[in-house]
Amino acid sequence: MKFRAAIAALAVTALTALAGCGDGGGTPVAEDTGPIELRMTIWSANEAHLKLFNDIAAEYKTAHPNVSVRFDPLPFDSYTTTLTTQIAGGNGPDLAWVLEDSAPDFVGSGALVPLDDTLKKTDGYNAEDIAPAATKLWQTGGKLYAYPFSTSPFGMFVNTDLLKQAGQDNPADLVAAGTWTWEKAFAEGAAVNAKTGTAGIVVRDFDYKTWSNLSTVWTGWGAQAWSADGKTCGFNAPEMVDAMTALHKAVFTDKAMPGPGVAADFFTGQSAMTVTQISRASLLKDAKFGWDLVPLPSGPKGKYSVVGQAGLGVLKKSKHAQAATDFLAFFTAPANSAKLAQYFPPARKSQLNADTLAKTNPLLKPTQLQSVVIDGISSGVVKPSHTGSAEIAQNVRASLDPLWKPDANVKSVLDTVCTGLKPLLSK
């Protein structure tokens, strides 16, 4: 635990140190010449994603034969810590995906190159098409420091065969009837586990480590990790206590969710339902079971949506910042944005409609895209983000560990979370 905290602190120091580096504004000032290999860190090792990225890079190389791009997947649950540790060690990438939780650190520290000038000067880029709401998290001082290449609401993939086998209602029917709630979802997950032995509900990429993914559940109770100004801890507020109590009961009493240490992959038929984003839909190409995609269940506070965002930025310390910025403009231009939309909902207003998304998402129906993606983006809240995200993430993860036991006192654990968070939120 102390080692993780030290790494988190190192990550914060690395980003802060970058604020004083470079040319002040951070804009590349010289053209790159000679052979160039750009490295771009990403969190996905999905073969379909990598094929698309490599195809785009190969197309770029036809017009820029001296530039090649290597995509470097890092483990999701340690992505930001690994990335910032690389930066601290002087071997950071040229370009990087930045997850929403660490956006304030990367954008506010001066670690990234401003993109506005390059995007505006790129022929056919049409920067005005980018939705202002999508760029909010990635701007400071009126400048854009990362392109919001994915603004993706979370939905619930369901295995309709398993639910039918367990004698449960089809979630799509419950959505239509207005009775698709977390109470009902937990009940169906518990029934599947009891009658088939298969896991019920899995919050993908949570694994009792990445706690921020639980915001896809607790937001339904009106809970939040901290106040809008980021100064007040929300983990021990009544709404969060109720949400976490419901989750704890679902795991340890009703067995609606697999417990710690139990792996259950929905996409290979090991669970009845999973909370995740449409970028995972490609894993269902050869599915041997019937499936559907529905919005997140309603909570006590009603219907809601949670959005995960990722920005693509160029590191100011890159040795090839000019070439990296040019490739970013190519990677996110209208034609490639449309290609990326099959996995990562675009920030471009002209492409953010069910008909356009359906063309590049053959596995998903226009109605699914409308209800989960389009409607979700219009009403969704972004997952938690804060300055000092790496240190906060490690602190909360460690403080929540005692919660994942059958006899845990939920309120007491959440009080401890806030005790640890208070000094970090006040920085």
Side-chain angles (χ1 to χ4, degrees):
M1 190 179 302
K2 290 181 179 179
F3 175 75
R4 291 201 303 265
I7 290 296
L10 175 64
V12 173
T13 302
L15 288 175
T16 303
L18 285 179
C21 300
D23 62 358
T27 304
V29 295
E31 289 290 339
D32 291 296
T33 58
I36 296 169
E37 181 185 69
L38 301 175
R39 180 168 69 93
M40 175 172 151
T41 55
I42 59 178
W43 60 257
S44 175
N46 182 291
E47 290 183 5
H49 298 172
L50 288 170
K51 182 181 185 305
L52 175 57
F53 298 160
N54 284 317
D55 287 347
I56 293 174
E59 184 181 354
Y60 181 79
K61 191 173 180 62
T62 60
H64 304 81
N66 65 317
V67 181
S68 59
V69 184
R70 176 168 62 90
F71 299 96
D72 184 11
L74 304 178
F76 179 81
D77 65 351
S78 60
Y79 177 82
T80 299
T81 301
T82 302
L83 171 60
T84 51
T85 302
Q86 287 183 2
I87 295 170
N91 62 333
D94 301 284
L95 303 97
W97 285 7
V98 179
L99 301 180
E100 70 286 301
D101 62 347
S102 56
D105 285 325
F106 277 86
V107 172
S109 68
L112 302 175
V113 171
L115 303 175
D116 306 81
D117 290 345
T118 297
L119 300 187
K120 290 176 181 178
K121 292 176 182 177
T122 300
D123 289 342
Y125 192 84
N126 191 13
E128 293 73 19
D129 189 35
I130 303 171
T135 61
K136 183 178 180 180
L137 193 61
W138 311 101
Q139 289 180 315
T140 188
K143 293 184 178 182
L144 182 69
Y145 286 87
Y147 175 87
F149 84 95
S150 179
T151 300
S152 186
F154 287 80
M156 181 87 86
F157 283 93
V158 299
N159 184 322
T160 52
D161 288 351
L162 269 176
L163 289 167
K164 184 177 181 180
Q165 183 182 343
Q168 299 303 296
D169 294 322
N170 188 316
D173 295 334
L174 298 174
V175 171
T179 55
W180 178 232
T181 65
W182 273 110
E183 181 180 9
K184 179 63 174 174
F186 285 146
E188 292 207 340
V192 167
N193 181 252
K195 295 182 181 181
T196 71
T198 307
I201 301 171
V202 172
V203 178
R204 191 173 177 92
D205 296 319
F206 163 48
D207 296 327
Y208 296 90
K209 299 175 184 177
T210 312
W211 55 268
S212 62
N213 277 7
L214 290 182
S215 63
T216 58
V217 181
W218 75 49
T219 303
W221 275 256
Q224 53 186 0
W226 39 73
S227 57
D229 63 8
K231 297 180 180 179
T232 305
C233 179
F235 274 94
N236 59 355
E239 297 85 355
M240 184 68 82
V241 174
D242 289 347
M244 288 299 203
T245 298
L247 270 167
H248 191 272
K249 180 175 182 290
V251 174
F252 296 104
T253 302
D254 300 334
K255 312 298 182 184
M257 301 174 67
V262 179
D265 181 15
F266 171 86
F267 297 96
T268 57
Q270 297 175 6
S271 73
M273 294 171 270
T274 190
V275 175
T276 191
Q277 296 156 299
I278 68 165
S279 59
R280 309 287 188 175
S282 61
L283 298 173
L284 291 165
K285 183 179 180 181
D286 300 313
K288 307 298 183 184
F289 54 87
W291 61 274
D292 199 356
L293 172 64
V294 296
L296 295 174
S298 297
K301 293 295 184 180
K303 295 181 180 180
Y304 69 101
S305 178
V306 174
V307 176
Q309 267 203 326
L312 177 59
V314 173
L315 272 296
K316 189 190 292 185
K317 276 196 169 183
S318 166
K319 295 179 180 178
H320 307 292
Q322 183 68 62
T325 306
D326 188 68
F327 175 71
L328 185 150
F330 180 81
F331 191 79
T332 62
N336 287 323
S337 176
K339 297 174 185 176
L340 292 166
Q342 63 186 292
Y343 306 118
F344 310 105
R348 292 184 174 275
K349 293 175 287 186
S350 62
Q351 296 174 348
L352 201 53
N353 58 77
D355 289 339
T356 298
L357 291 177
K359 293 176 182 177
T360 52
N361 288 273
L363 293 177
L364 297 175
K365 302 172 184 176
T367 53
Q368 295 171 326
L369 292 165
Q370 182 67 48
S371 64
V372 176
V373 180
I374 309 301
D375 294 347
I377 289 175
S378 66
S379 62
V381 297
V382 178
K383 288 174 58 186
S385 64
H386 202 285
T387 53
S389 61
E391 191 174 6
I392 286 174
Q394 296 292 2
N395 187 285
V396 174
R397 175 179 168 180
S399 297
L400 281 177
D401 278 346
L403 183 62
W404 312 126
K405 299 177 181 178
D407 60 349
N409 183 314
V410 176
K411 177 62 165 61
S412 178
V413 171
L414 296 179
D415 282 338
T416 301
V417 174
C418 281
T419 298
L421 265 185
K422 185 176 180 179
L424 300 180
L425 297 181
S426 64
K427 285 184 178 180

